[in-house]
Amino acid sequence: MYSFELRGLFIFGLPIWIIARIIILMNRKKKGIKFNIGDEILTNLFVIYLFLLIGITILPITIGEMSPYLQELSFIERCNINIVPFIDYFKGANYLGSIIRNIVGNLILLMPFILYICAKSEKSRDLKSATKITFLISLSIELTQLVMNIFGLTYTRVVHVEDLILNTLGGIIAWGIFKLMYRGKIKIMIDNTHSQLIEEGQI
């Protein structure tokens, strides 16, 4: 049985990304496209964030024979779905600190994703689009966790409806933060990068 963890993702994924990015930048240079350091920093930070997001929500993945513990569980028990939101918060075993960490963690989980999307895509800068994108990403994560639970690829992550609610709310907050920030020098910087991407045919 082998467990693929976040460290493995960085070890294998980061070199592949660096090589791919170098090739992209070399092709841009040949086409006479100017190097935008601000956009490059933002893009690479976003990729690192994606690695961390996968590590937090999906990894570790256990590859190989299903553990005896999981084999003893029924199908419903392996699915481990909690369809009643926030019910666990009222159980005696949960302390205020852990509840706050869970709420805050789920609120901020997808905020960087929405901030990046709003900065990169003018079409995604309305509330409806930001909410829809956040909801679909969160739903995809929960469904992936469900599939992993069913096939014994993880030690039964809890598929929470409350995660979907909090992630989506966090996306709405991120959209609000972007709207507040999208002014002055930051607006000029984002608009200049956006214009360059249109000229390069990336949008």
Side-chain angles (χ1 to χ4, degrees):
M1 186 179 294
Y2 174 75
S3 181
F4 186 76
E5 301 180 358
L6 179 59
R7 181 173 59 181
L9 179 61
F10 272 100
I11 291 174
F12 292 103
L14 205 54
I16 293 173
W17 164 252
I18 292 172
I19 293 170
R21 196 61 188 172
I22 290 173
I23 293 173
I24 291 171
L25 292 175
M26 289 176 64
N27 287 334
R28 286 183 180 181
K29 186 176 181 181
K30 288 180 182 179
K31 295 177 182 179
I33 299 172
K34 294 181 180 180
F35 178 78
N36 188 316
I37 188 169
D39 179 61
E40 195 61 29
I41 291 173
L42 183 62
T43 299
N44 283 281
L45 286 176
F46 181 69
V47 170
I48 293 173
Y49 158 75
L50 288 180
F51 284 174
L52 293 173
L53 179 63
I54 293 171
I56 292 170
T57 59
I58 306 299
L59 301 180
I61 297 176
T62 303
I63 303 170
E65 186 179 355
M66 189 183 297
S67 69
Y69 165 74
L70 294 176
Q71 290 177 8
E72 293 176 0
L73 298 177
S74 67
F75 178 79
I76 298 298
E77 288 174 329
R78 277 212 310 273
C79 288
N80 204 17
I81 302 175
N82 190 343
I83 60 174
V84 182
F86 309 109
I87 190 171
D88 288 342
Y89 296 165
F90 299 98
K91 294 180 179 179
N94 284 293
Y95 296 100
L96 181 60
S98 63
I99 293 174
I100 292 174
R101 283 195 298 271
N102 185 69
I103 292 175
V104 173
N106 277 295
L107 283 175
I108 67 175
L109 184 68
L110 297 180
M111 280 188 176
F113 200 107
I114 297 305
L115 289 172
Y116 180 81
I117 292 298
C118 287
K120 284 285 190 177
S121 174
E122 189 174 353
K123 296 178 181 179
S124 303
R125 291 177 187 171
D126 60 279
L127 179 58
K128 182 179 178 181
S129 296
T131 304
K132 182 180 178 181
I133 291 169
T134 315
F135 177 82
L136 291 176
I137 295 170
S138 181
L139 181 62
S140 299
I141 291 172
E142 297 302 316
L143 291 177
T144 300
Q145 291 176 345
L146 176 60
V147 171
M148 290 173 63
N149 286 347
I150 292 172
F151 290 99
L153 299 175
T154 183
Y155 286 99
T156 58
R157 286 179 176 268
V158 181
V159 181
H160 275 304
V161 172
E162 68 199 49
D163 291 352
L164 193 61
I165 296 171
L166 291 171
N167 291 164
T168 305
L169 180 59
I172 294 172
I173 294 172
W175 172 84
I177 293 173
F178 177 83
K179 286 296 184 180
L180 290 174
M181 293 174 57
Y182 188 59
R183 60 185 65 186
K185 292 182 178 180
I186 293 179
K187 183 179 186 300
I188 294 171
M189 182 180 67
I190 291 174
D191 288 347
N192 287 341
T193 301
H194 180 71
S195 299
Q196 184 183 23
L197 292 174
I198 292 176
E199 292 173 1
E200 294 173 13
Q202 295 186 30
I203 296 179

